[in-house]
Amino acid sequence: MSNSRAKSISSNESHDWDSIREIFATLYVTEDRPLREVRAILAEKYGFNATERMYKRRINHWQLDKNNKEEEMQFLAQKSAERAAIGKRSAFRVRNREITQAALDHYFKRKKISRVGSKRGSSAGVSTPPHILCYTPPDTPTPETSDSSSPDFAPSDTPSTGSDELVVIETSPSSTALQLARHRPPDERYWLPGSPNQLQPPAQFKSMEILLSATQDFFLSTLGATDGVDAYHVTKQAISWNMRKFYVLANSVATYMSEGSWKEAQKAYGEALEHVGPILRDRNPILFVCLLQICCKFLKDGQLPALRPLLQLIRGMAAHVHSVSHSMHILCGTLLESMDMLADMMTIGLYQAVDILKVRLGIEHPQTCAAGRGLHTILMTSHDYAGALKAFQPVADIESRLANTMRLESKFRVIGSLIAMGNLHEAGILIEEAQTMVDALEDPEQKAQLTLGALSTRGEWLRLNRDPRAIAVLSEAFEFAKEHTWLHNGSWSLNARKALRLAKSSLISDAPLVPFIYWF
């Protein structure tokens, strides 16, 4: 072994393991890849070189061993038998790996060993190891850190503490089952009309209740940051910002998938995953809006099957970085279980996000305005163009007074709404105003981004006016996007190409023209 090689391994052993812990857990545990493949990926993409023996020591240290140990499986069998005797189904998480009852049964059948655990009596006096989690497989998407089958709230006769702290309630003196209840006064909770504390409605309403609860919990946890709520990054939206990188990469996955560019989509997906751990640890409220806007993009491009693995990954990483009771883990699980009503779920969540942020931060805070932009996006995706404009107009009025690029993005959103509604005259006036503002920009990154927005919006306006100049403008937008792929990972190039194809076909067709809005 060369000196440089030995030095690299020694450095990794001493200092760098924490830097690859999340991505290693994702590749090795969540994606269930073999160690040899994970080693190769980390060496090639991250320059992280370590021997297989060193990796195995780290796997033991991090408790990421994927092998099912017989003593653990016997414990699970005993626990499962005890719960079955009182009519409860069982599933488990061992070192963050899901083990269903079917998998447990298969283990004993494959190993041809008997279940001795159930013959030794009750496990009530035996503490559950910290790396083992037992729960009832719920109809709702989130296994809780308790034996309760769903995240119900405390009974109505339980006194409210008025705090956001988790209150642990013993269900019986002899039982180890715990119920986790979050107590808040009713006026601080987003209840569905007429909902009692322990809600048992049809499934779709249950999903909405879980979404509202998770949204509330997410903002309660992120808005309490000791160093203040981020306004700088939300306003600047620099391409170097981790959240921005994740947003651009994830959106480009949807675009590439819709165009059949599988290789590019796979590459963008892999790069997007690298940012999941850091943005989950960042505790920035805008993550909620960012995630739902990404869902909007996949929904608009007809790529919901491709959205599933991304949500599953974020959900798994939230459990790994935080816990299975973390609000982002619950939120992703709810969205995964509600793909048939995804637009409605996102609309409700974003309306709630706007309301919470208005109360907590004020209507003019950049985080509140960002949630307003997210709400505009989902309403436009749902073809509620008038509703989108009405919901977004307060944000546009606020940002029109700002001396930054957000006022331009807001103007383009308003223009997009007007174009989609067929109000081409007013849209044309605003397009000229926006172009003057874009020409005056000095920052190269901001000017490039908004120049593409200006070209795309003008081209779409000309197309809907059946003006042949649309082809020249959209051709310019296409070439401009290809020259600035560093801004958008190539996704805008594909969108610009779609718009150009549409403009060419519109000139030779007498059919009614349908708006093509993709700028935001």
Side-chain angles (χ1 to χ4, degrees):
M1 180 183 293
S2 67
N3 291 336
S4 61
R5 170 78 170 173
K7 187 175 181 179
S8 172
I9 293 176
S10 176
S11 175
N12 289 337
E13 181 73 0
S14 302
H15 306 293
D16 298 333
W17 285 101
D18 286 344
S19 66
I20 57 101
R21 179 172 180 170
E22 279 78 17
I23 191 62
F24 178 84
T26 300
L27 295 171
Y28 185 67
V29 179
T30 307
E31 298 183 10
D32 199 24
R33 302 193 189 208
L35 180 57
R36 181 176 300 177
E37 181 181 343
V38 175
R39 280 185 62 208
I41 292 172
L42 292 174
E44 179 182 349
K45 296 192 67 175
Y46 301 91
F48 192 93
N49 298 300
T51 65
E52 186 169 327
R53 184 178 179 182
M54 292 162 65
Y55 271 111
K56 288 180 177 179
R57 287 204 301 267
R58 279 291 154 175
I59 288 169
N60 290 332
H61 178 69
W62 289 335
Q63 294 189 339
L64 296 177
D65 189 0
K66 293 192 290 186
N67 295 324
N68 294 320
K69 298 177 174 59
E70 183 177 348
E71 61 269 22
E72 293 175 343
M73 299 302 277
Q74 292 287 4
F75 177 86
L76 300 188
Q78 181 179 357
K79 194 76 173 177
S80 175
E82 291 175 5
R83 289 164 55 82
I86 57 174
K88 287 188 175 182
R89 295 175 296 125
S90 299
F92 305 90
R93 288 180 69 88
V94 179
R95 289 180 289 276
N96 287 323
R97 292 177 61 239
E98 300 279 354
I99 297 182
T100 63
Q101 183 65 52
L104 186 61
D105 294 339
H106 179 71
Y107 172 85
F108 285 99
K109 182 178 180 181
R110 179 172 57 86
K111 292 283 189 177
K112 298 180 179 178
I113 56 178
S114 60
R115 306 184 189 212
V116 298
S118 58
K119 300 177 182 178
R120 296 177 179 173
S122 172
S123 66
V126 180
S127 60
T128 302
H131 62 280
I132 294 179
L133 176 70
C134 175
Y135 63 92
T136 301
D139 295 327
T140 57
T142 53
E144 290 293 312
T145 54
S146 71
D147 288 343
S148 177
S149 62
S150 64
D152 289 330
F153 308 112
S156 56
D157 58 349
T158 303
S160 170
T161 65
S163 72
D164 300 326
E165 297 294 324
L166 288 176
V167 180
V168 181
I169 304 172
E170 288 282 357
T171 55
S172 71
S174 60
S175 173
T176 58
L178 298 177
Q179 178 185 5
L180 297 181
R182 291 175 175 83
H183 299 287
R184 298 188 193 94
D187 59 347
E188 289 188 12
R189 191 170 193 90
Y190 286 75
W191 300 100
L192 294 175
S195 298
N197 275 5
Q198 289 194 320
L199 188 67
Q200 296 295 334
Q204 64 269 29
F205 294 122
K206 186 66 174 177
S207 295
M208 290 181 182
E209 170 64 14
I210 295 171
L211 172 77
L212 294 173
S213 177
T215 303
Q216 178 89 338
D217 290 345
F218 175 82
F219 284 108
L220 283 171
S221 63
T222 56
L223 294 177
T226 56
D227 54 350
V229 178
D230 181 24
Y232 175 81
H233 290 104
V234 177
T235 302
K236 296 296 182 183
Q237 294 282 324
I239 196 65
S240 58
W241 184 29
N242 236 351
M243 192 79 69
R244 171 81 185 197
K245 288 180 181 179
F246 173 69
Y247 178 77
V248 169
L249 287 164
N251 277 344
S252 68
V253 172
T255 304
Y256 283 129
M257 291 289 289
S258 67
E259 288 288 287
S261 303
W262 315 121
K263 185 176 180 181
E264 290 83 357
Q266 186 176 21
K267 181 175 183 293
Y269 181 76
E271 293 175 355
L273 299 189
E274 298 173 14
H275 300 284
V276 174
I279 64 175
L280 283 170
R281 288 194 301 269
D282 192 29
R283 295 170 60 85
N284 195 319
I286 203 174
L287 172 59
F288 179 88
V289 179
C290 175
L291 177 63
L292 293 197
Q293 283 194 289
I294 289 169
C295 292
C296 285
K297 175 64 174 171
F298 278 82
L299 177 64
K300 179 178 177 294
D301 288 350
Q303 297 301 317
L304 288 187
L307 176 62
R308 283 188 172 277
L310 180 62
L311 288 176
Q312 288 167 345
L313 185 280
I314 297 172
R315 183 173 184 253
M317 285 296 291
H320 180 73
V321 173
H322 299 291
S323 71
V324 292
S325 62
H326 189 265
S327 52
M328 190 53 61
H329 180 270
I330 296 173
L331 175 67
C332 289
T334 306
L335 295 177
L336 282 165
E337 292 293 318
S338 310
M339 287 294 186
D340 57 334
M341 49 186 286
L342 188 61
D344 293 333
M345 296 284 285
M346 291 189 294
T347 302
I348 291 171
L350 284 164
Y351 266 117
Q352 185 190 17
V354 171
D355 288 345
I356 293 173
L357 292 168
K358 279 166 60 177
V359 171
R360 292 300 187 98
L361 301 178
I363 193 171
E364 297 190 3
H365 195 282
Q367 292 274 0
T368 308
C369 293
R373 287 192 291 275
L375 179 59
H376 178 261
T377 299
I378 182 55
L379 291 173
M380 290 292 289
T381 302
S382 304
H383 308 293
D384 184 4
Y385 306 129
L389 182 59
K390 180 179 179 181
F392 185 69
Q393 194 61 59
V395 176
D397 292 341
I398 291 167
E399 294 189 331
S400 66
R401 303 191 296 269
L402 302 178
N404 58 44
T405 56
M406 301 314 295
R407 61 175 178 165
L408 262 173
E409 184 184 338
S410 290
K411 188 174 286 288
F412 281 124
R413 285 179 178 272
V414 171
I415 293 170
S417 300
L418 292 171
I419 289 176
M421 293 165 63
N423 192 344
L424 299 180
H425 175 71
E426 188 176 351
I429 296 173
L430 294 179
I431 285 173
E432 296 305 323
E433 293 178 5
Q435 186 62 59
T436 302
M437 296 166 68
V438 171
D439 293 339
L441 291 174
E442 296 181 357
D443 184 274
E445 181 181 313
Q446 295 174 346
K447 187 163 187 173
Q449 181 176 338
L450 290 163
T451 295
L452 179 57
L455 288 169
S456 303
T457 303
R458 182 181 293 274
E460 174 63 5
W461 179 79
L462 290 170
R463 182 184 75 85
L464 292 177
N465 278 295
R466 295 190 182 274
D467 190 323
R469 291 178 295 173
I471 293 179
V473 174
L474 290 172
S475 295
E476 184 181 354
F478 180 39
E479 294 302 322
F480 189 89
K482 288 195 296 183
E483 293 171 5
H484 294 80
T485 54
W486 54 275
L487 270 174
H488 50 80
N489 197 43
S491 61
W492 286 357
S493 303
L494 298 181
N495 285 328
R497 187 172 67 185
K498 286 181 187 178
L500 181 57
R501 286 200 305 257
L502 193 58
K504 291 177 178 178
S505 64
S506 297
L507 288 180
I508 58 174
S509 173
D510 294 329
L513 300 181
V514 178
F516 178 66
I517 307 297
Y518 68 88
W519 153 235
F520 44 81

